[in-house]
Amino acid sequence: MAISRLGRELLIAPSILSADFLRLGEQVREAAEAGADLFHLDMMDGHFVPNLTFGPPVVEGLQKLTSLPLEAHLMVLRPEIYLEDLASARMHRVTVHAEATTHLHYVLGKIGSLGMKAGVAISPATPVGMVEDVLDMIDLVLVMTVNPGFGGQSFITHSLKKVESMRTLLDRAGAAHVRLEVDGGIKAGNISRVADCGADTFVMGSAIFGEKPCETVFGEIRRALTSER
């Protein structure tokens, strides 16, 4: 969307989990034309979280629908077993949960060795310090602002403090290369507050793939992010 705030470029990542899969191609094109910067794919295994969603074949299908980057958010146990398939499907970035593996350093290294960018996600009850020792291996940290596993949840207000804490951690570590993404309950009505706390990448699902046309929603987002505070 080519919007900057507090010296940071802001990116919008529609989550296809909230899209109508019977109209997936149409909705992906509409979001891309309206101003999406990348697409976010929530991949769940029914074990780390209760839900079960899609796998690498959907990624391959999406590659035919858009030239925008695709990022996978793996809400799965043993994320390492999916990485080669995702690399073959030309995934741009893979984000794994710090809580889902006891070998985070190894998993991040494998993501990088396969030519993909790496990210780490933390759930609402996980401390920000969980990512401190791997900042040199990632280009994104994802702060969940809802509990992972279900779309359409309400934003957890006290997670604003966690976003601020993560921004402080990144700044103190000199990790300017690491983007700070938020996921869960983000919409035009609260995105400005979240951006002020230091987030620069925003996953939005039901807010984008809802009743309003994508063009209208992106217009609301732009106004919220560029309005005088």
Side-chain angles (χ1 to χ4, degrees), residues 57-94:
V58 172
V59 179
E60 294 177 351
L62 280 171
Q63 296 285 8
K64 301 174 184 178
L65 298 176
T66 181
S67 60
L68 291 177
L70 303 180
E71 64 174 14
H73 176 193
L74 298 188
M75 288 177 264
V76 303
L77 298 178
R78 298 186 63 205
E80 61 274 12
I81 68 177
Y82 301 92
L83 300 181
E84 292 186 5
D85 285 342
L86 290 173
S88 296
R90 294 178 292 118
M91 180 63 66
H92 175 71
R93 177 167 55 220
V94 176

Side-chain angles (χ1 to χ4, degrees), residues 15-200:
S15 170
I16 68 164
L17 181 64
S18 297
D20 180 351
F21 271 59
L22 294 178
R23 299 175 51 236
L24 184 58
E26 177 186 348
Q27 292 200 320
V28 165
R29 284 190 289 270
E30 288 176 354
E33 291 171 359
D37 297 291
L38 65 155
F39 285 98
H40 185 89
L41 286 71
D42 291 301
M43 302 176 70
M44 310 177 194
D45 64 356
H47 298 287
F48 179 66
V49 294
N51 263 342
L52 183 68
T53 56
F54 42 79
V58 172
V59 179
E60 294 177 351
L62 280 171
Q63 296 285 8
K64 301 174 184 178
L65 298 176
T66 181
S67 60
L68 291 177
L70 303 180
E71 64 174 14
H73 176 193
L74 298 188
M75 288 177 264
V76 303
L77 298 178
R78 298 186 63 205
E80 61 274 12
I81 68 177
Y82 301 92
L83 300 181
E84 292 186 5
D85 285 342
L86 290 173
S88 296
R90 294 178 292 118
M91 180 63 66
H92 175 71
R93 177 167 55 220
V94 176
T95 297
V96 298
H97 268 265
E99 310 90 355
T101 176
T102 56
H103 304 291
L104 182 59
H105 188 276
Y106 165 76
V107 172
L108 295 175
K110 185 170 182 179
I111 293 171
S113 72
L114 290 169
M116 299 179 289
K117 294 183 179 297
V120 175
I122 57 172
S123 297
T126 301
V128 299
M130 285 285 286
V131 306
E132 189 168 7
D133 291 335
V134 295
L135 291 178
D136 60 335
M137 302 183 72
I138 63 176
D139 84 322
L140 175 139
V141 59
L142 168 55
V143 174
M144 292 297 298
T145 47
V146 297
N147 289 296
F150 299 94
Q153 295 183 68
S154 297
F155 181 83
I156 299 174
T157 304
H158 72 253
S159 63
L160 290 170
K161 294 182 178 178
K162 176 173 277 191
V163 176
E164 288 181 332
S165 296
M166 185 63 77
R167 172 51 61 192
T168 298
L169 174 65
L170 295 176
D171 290 347
R172 287 179 176 172
H177 66 287
V178 178
R179 298 198 67 86
L180 176 47
E181 186 173 67
V182 289
D183 181 3
I186 306 298
K187 52 190 176 182
N190 61 20
I191 195 170
S192 179
R193 291 179 64 197
V194 184
D196 284 343
C197 290
D200 53 42

